[in-house]
Amino acid sequence: VSSNAIGIGMIGCGTVGGGVAKLLHEQAALYAQRLGRPVDLRRVLVRDVAKACAGGLVQKDKLTADADAFFSTADMPIIVEVAGGRGVVSTYVRRALEAGKHVVTANKAMLAAEGPELFALARKHKVAIAFEASVAGGIPVITAMQFGLMANRIDALYGILNGTCNYILTEMTREGKSYATALAEAQAKGYAEADPTLDVSGKDAAQKLAVLASLAFGVSVNESDVWNEGIDSLDLADIRFAAELGYDIKLLAIAERTHRSEFGVPSSESGRDLPDSQLATRNSELGTSALSLRVHPSFIHASAPLAQVRGSFNALSVYGHAVGHTMSYGRGAGQMPTASAVVSDILNVASGWYPLACQAMHLLSDRQSRVQTVAANDLVSRFYIRMTALDVPGVMARVSDILGQSGISLSAILQHEANVGQFVPLVIVTHKARQGALLDALDQIEQLEVIDGKPVCIRIVDMPAE
Ligand code: NAP
Ligand code: HSE
């Protein structure tokens, strides 16, 4: 190894770590040429040396399960954290920062919960944290948000940010596969988290949205600020009805500035139901800069750009006040796309420009104010509703009466022919309504003896014009 090589230490050597080791090995000459000096992977910290990097990409003598031995390795100014999770891994990251080492991480769970503290620690010790791989795998969305769109006030983000969920939804929609089969395939392909419930519950996307929204809106956002619903209870029937109505179902991560006129004002069309006195208080608390932050299965029109995003691909639509709509697209999960983002971060840190920018810009700062969010029940949206109804005279009248009493207007109704007296799926699409009013109405509908089980309710997302 050349004497001017830059030394890297890596924590974790699973799917992503294996990809990083592979790139550093196979593209050593290219990176040395781009950087003007070679990159040397000096030490790798794992839990089980025998199991790590079975492909032989890391020489055995570089592997250690001893954290003290790892941190005492000489000439290792950059630590790459690709172990995931919090707990001991987060203590390793703090240890690295306190020792004056730059950190490159793919760990959105850690950043969404501890970002401001970690960045404060990094600033204190005059080092950088680079985190491109934490959101949208190989797509450089963090770089775009931090630098490329810096001139813009960001008004909204709409993202497909979880490759596992997008893969499952694509396979269910296009190939008619079951949820369980598609999930097992996503795991085998290395897209899923070690605990895949993080993916399918929407939590992984919520963590990514928290990181993106902090950067985009300059406020402190953590995972708990994001209201989320996963794809784990989605039914194949809803995927089929979506197609019949001209929509696709995607798990969308959404962050939007919400203005007073868009919520909380009583109107018969929206079914908004708070007394004026409470509305005035709430609206002044929310002001005009509250954010709606949410992750949920969404009906999007089949012709929308995000509907074309399939498999493990991710995409992020950003609406900036000057640029208008931009969309980034690429592989959002998997070994080599994620390793691409990690290694790019290593090179950016090693070149020296990123640490300077990181110090100057107060990214994910502990000095930012806490985000103000709009409550989920104040969301105003169109909705798809599916219920199982007894096919007898008067059922539709009773259902529409409850919705009408709640100020909810219907835009489409769909029921396939069946024998009188049977239970059949009844699908309703509403005009814009306040979520709280709609859920209250569905509670009443569920009580009707002609309705079987709990009605399904999925938001229809109409993205702004280009
Ligand atoms: P993985 O395949 O489960 O690999 C994790 C590795 O870290 C394993 O080698 C594991 O060792 C090791 N590890 C875990 N805890 C450790 C500890 N306390 N000390 C030392 N080593 C430890 O996970 P992955 O898919 O590579 O994901 C790694 C990180 O990248 C996560 O933060 C994930 O969210 C993020 N990420 C993943 C993807 C993707 O597509 N997979 C994409 C973007 C971001 P053992 O095997 O011995 O447990
Ligand atoms: N499990 C994540 C996903 C990996 O499926 O998107 C990328 O962060």
Side-chain angles (χ1 to χ4, degrees), residues 64-331:
T64 179
D66 178 345
D68 290 331
F70 175 78
F71 281 104
S72 60
T73 306
D75 297 329
M76 209 170 64
I78 301 177
I79 300 296
V80 175
E81 182 276 301
V82 281
R86 295 176 56 201
V88 67
V89 170
S90 142
T91 67
Y92 290 156
V93 167
R94 285 163 200 268
R95 188 167 170 180
L97 297 171
E98 281 161 359
K101 295 172 189 295
H102 303 296
V103 168
V104 171
T105 180
N107 191 337
K108 57 265 169 173
M110 180 180 70
L111 292 176
E114 304 167 47
E117 281 170 54
L118 294 174
F119 274 81
L121 197 58
R123 270 190 297 281
K124 183 174 167 196
H125 294 278
K126 304 210 173 336
V127 288
I129 302 175
F131 52 107
E132 185 60 74
S134 65
V135 181
I139 320 172
V141 292
I142 299 287
T143 307
M145 194 64 79
Q146 287 183 90
F147 304 110
L149 293 169
M150 213 180 194
N152 287 266
R153 181 197 69 230
I154 306 297
D155 291 324
L157 311 174
Y158 298 85
I160 292 176
L161 298 180
N162 186 273
T164 302
C165 289
N166 206 50
Y167 179 86
I168 294 172
L169 292 175
T170 304
E171 293 300 303
M172 287 174 77
T173 307
R174 308 255 144 193
E175 308 297 333
K177 287 183 187 163
S178 73
Y179 171 84
T181 303
L183 172 57
E185 287 178 5
Q187 287 180 279
K189 288 171 187 279
Y191 304 150
E193 296 300 302
D195 171 7
T197 56
L198 281 173
D199 296 290
V200 296
S201 66
K203 273 177 175 294
D204 174 84
Q207 291 163 352
K208 292 167 176 167
L209 187 68
V211 173
L212 277 181
S214 299
L215 292 176
F217 299 99
V219 286
S220 157
V221 182
N222 58 39
E223 183 188 346
S224 60
D225 296 314
V226 180
W227 176 77
N228 83 292
E229 203 176 281
I231 63 161
D232 34 2
S233 55
L234 213 56
D235 201 303
L236 210 46
D238 298 311
I239 291 177
R240 294 198 181 115
F241 278 120
E244 195 172 339
L245 291 163
Y247 293 91
D248 262 336
I249 301 187
K250 296 289 184 191
L251 184 77
L252 287 194
I254 301 172
E256 306 174 294
R257 277 185 206 281
T258 307
H259 300 282
R260 285 178 195 200
S261 60
E262 293 170 25
F263 64 99
V265 181
S267 110
S268 57
E269 183 214 19
S270 65
R272 297 157 181 163
D273 55 0
L274 278 184
D276 281 356
S277 53
Q278 288 179 33
L279 276 172
T281 310
R282 191 190 50 195
N283 283 345
S284 67
E285 280 167 4
L286 292 172
T288 53
S289 58
L291 295 180
S292 174
L293 295 172
R294 54 196 211 268
V295 170
H296 52 70
S298 310
F299 271 44
I300 57 174
H301 202 273
S303 64
L306 287 178
Q308 319 313 319
V309 178
R310 305 208 173 102
S312 69
F313 281 78
N314 280 193
L316 179 69
S317 273
V318 181
Y319 292 80
H321 85 284
V323 69
H325 179 207
T326 69
M327 186 165 151
S328 311
Y329 168 84
R331 290 193 187 276

Side-chain angles (χ1 to χ4, degrees), residues 394-412:
V395 171
M396 193 57 225
R398 292 174 71 185
V399 168
S400 58
D401 185 45
I402 293 175
L403 292 169
Q405 295 289 332
S406 306
I408 294 160
S409 168
L410 314 187
S411 78

